[in-house]
């Protein structure tokens, strides 16, 4: 697989729009394809016209597709559907910096855990491949966020969830807690309300702080 290196400290920005096929993708990295910066931030936007994915990292055959910055520069992924697969433990990396993941369309929701089809769905195994000191999921234009299964970090990570609507914690039967930052700070920033729908420990920030805005 090829690479798209970005030299110097400038911003690296890439965008792609999928074709007419139902399984088309906006931006796809096959094999050992890479998007890297030489010190500046990276922004990748994938637009899907139909049922395909906006951004795909395809690790077929044990490959290691990677999106990574150097010098802890910010990495931003924008799409209404993503597949973050990699034969490597790390598919997306900002070092100890910031990774932003949010939708392209304002009407799209984010599902953390189970795949619900017409949402930006990311499972725990996919987010495990994201290396960052701070992981921002959603923004003020994201319709809502639902945590449907346990999301756990292996090292301390600041987790910030932001939506224009509700942030729901709905993982019935899932292992608890549903959000575990491994000691990083956790902030939930809904436009309307936070809706925990069952009893038990939903958020574990350890030595970190938990903020409900």
């Amino acid at each position: 697989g090829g690479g798209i290196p970005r030299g110097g400290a400038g911003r690296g920005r890439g965008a792609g729009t999928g074709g007419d096929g139902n399984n088309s993708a906006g931006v796809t990295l096959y094999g050992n394809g890479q998007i890297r910066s030489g010190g500046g931030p990276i922004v990748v936007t994938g637009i899907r016209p139909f049922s395909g994915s906006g951004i795909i990292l395809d690790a077929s055959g044990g490959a290691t597709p990677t999106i990574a910055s150097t010098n802890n520069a910010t990495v931003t992924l924008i799409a209404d559907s993503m597949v973050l697969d990699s034969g490597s433990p790390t598919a997306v990396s900002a070092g100890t910096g910031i990774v932003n993941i949010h939708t392209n369309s304002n009407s799209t929701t984010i599902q953390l855990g189970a795949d619900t089809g017409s949402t930006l769905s990311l499972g725990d195994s996919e987010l495990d491949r994201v290396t960052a000191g701070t992981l921002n999921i959603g923004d003020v234009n994201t319709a809502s966020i639902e945590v449907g299964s346990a999301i756990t970090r292996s090292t301390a990570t600041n987790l910030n969830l932001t939506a224009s609507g509700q942030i729901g914690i709905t993982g019935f039967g899932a292992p608890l807690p549903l959000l575990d930052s491994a000691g990083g700070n956790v902030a939930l920033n809904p436009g309307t309300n936070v809706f925990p729908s069952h009893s038990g420990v939903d958020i574990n920030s350890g030595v970190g702080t938990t903020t409900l805005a």
Side-chain angles (χ1 to χ4, degrees), residues 12-180:
R13 183 179 294 271
T17 301
D20 293 334
N22 287 335
N23 295 317
S24 61
V27 176
T28 303
L29 291 182
Y30 289 106
N32 295 321
Q34 299 181 2
I35 298 175
R36 293 184 177 273
S37 76
I42 295 173
V43 179
V44 179
T45 303
I47 301 172
R48 60 169 188 174
F50 296 106
S51 61
S53 294
I55 297 174
I56 295 179
L57 273 62
D58 187 340
S60 299
T64 56
T66 304
I67 299 173
S69 67
T70 56
N71 297 332
N72 305 312
T74 299
V75 175
T76 300
L77 305 182
I78 306 169
D80 291 337
S81 179
M82 299 182 194
V83 178
L84 304 182
D85 189 13
S86 179
S88 167
T90 300
V92 178
S93 177
T96 59
I98 299 170
V99 170
N100 301 310
I101 297 176
H102 63 83
T103 59
N104 183 61
S105 302
N106 295 350
S107 60
T108 302
T109 65
I110 294 177
Q111 177 76 32
L112 301 182
D115 189 346
T116 59
S118 60
T119 64
L120 169 52
S121 299
L122 293 168
D124 187 41
S125 62
E126 291 180 285
L127 292 175
D128 284 346
R129 299 185 180 104
V130 176
T131 298
T134 297
L135 177 56
N136 297 323
I137 299 176
D139 64 6
V140 294
N141 295 314
T142 298
S144 63
I145 298 177
E146 297 293 331
V147 182
S149 185
I151 301 297
T152 60
R153 303 298 294 171
S154 59
T155 59
T157 307
N158 298 323
L159 296 176
N160 301 313
L161 275 58
T162 304
S164 62
Q166 173 181 286
I167 296 178
I169 301 177
T170 58
F172 293 105
L176 297 176
L178 289 176
L179 285 175
D180 191 333

